[in-house]
Amino acid sequence: MTQPLMTATQRLQEPLWQWLNAVPAGRVITYGQLARLAGYPQQARLVGRMLADLPPDTRLPWHRVVNAQGRITHPDAARQVTRLSDEDIHVTQGRVSLRHYQWQP
DNA sequence: TGTTTGACGGACA
DNA sequence: CTGTCCGCCAAAC
């Protein structure tokens, strides 16, 4: 009954939510980093898609996810920047310094 | 069924 | 630094 034919996206979900939930306040993580940690390297795009499907009232720290260049690529950048600022993460020109804020498990 | 799109990433000019 | 190209894969056309 367990479906042997699950899509990568479906199998990516569980570990993805766990790793995302592990990112502490005041730190950020990249899409590709989450994909690798979840066991699906090269699947950064799927991570983005899954985050996009999260319910608006989710408790997961989706705002701590930026791209590999530290840029904010979320559709509602303003909302994300606000949340990052609330955690004392400095955002300039739509971008954060991975050098200073990237989380390393 | 073929093509385009997207909260991406890395290599390269 | 910027822009282009290609790999990646599921959803939307």
Side-chain angles (χ1 to χ4, degrees):
Chain A
M1 39 152 262
T2 297
Q3 303 314 308
L5 299 176
M6 290 175 93
T7 65
T9 305
Q10 295 173 309
R11 288 181 307 217
L12 174 64
Q13 293 190 60
E14 303 307 316
L16 173 59
W17 301 146
Q18 289 208 65
W19 280 110
L20 175 56
N21 198 48
V23 182
R27 307 265 65 196
V28 298
I29 192 169
T30 72
Y31 296 92
Q33 206 182 342
L34 275 176
R36 287 194 297 283
L37 289 170
Y40 287 81
Q42 333 287 259
Q43 303 309 320
R45 270 192 124 113
L46 292 186
V47 171
R49 171 189 307 300
M50 312 208 53
L51 294 183
D53 291 333
L54 281 173
D57 63 318
T58 181
R59 205 165 62 63
L60 290 170
W62 54 267
H63 59 285
R64 296 179 191 142
V65 185
V66 297
N67 78 6
Q69 285 70 55
R71 308 197 90 82
I72 305 297
T73 47
H74 183 288
D76 188 347
R79 181 154 173 256
Q80 182 170 6
V81 171
T82 297
R83 297 186 74 146
L84 289 175
S85 299
D86 287 342
E87 298 184 355
D88 294 310
I89 292 178
H90 192 223
V91 185
T92 23
Q93 305 304 139
R95 165 164 117 170
V96 305
S97 168
L98 292 179
R99 177 73 183 263
H100 298 309
Y101 306 110
Q102 182 168 40
W103 178 57
Q104 304 297 7

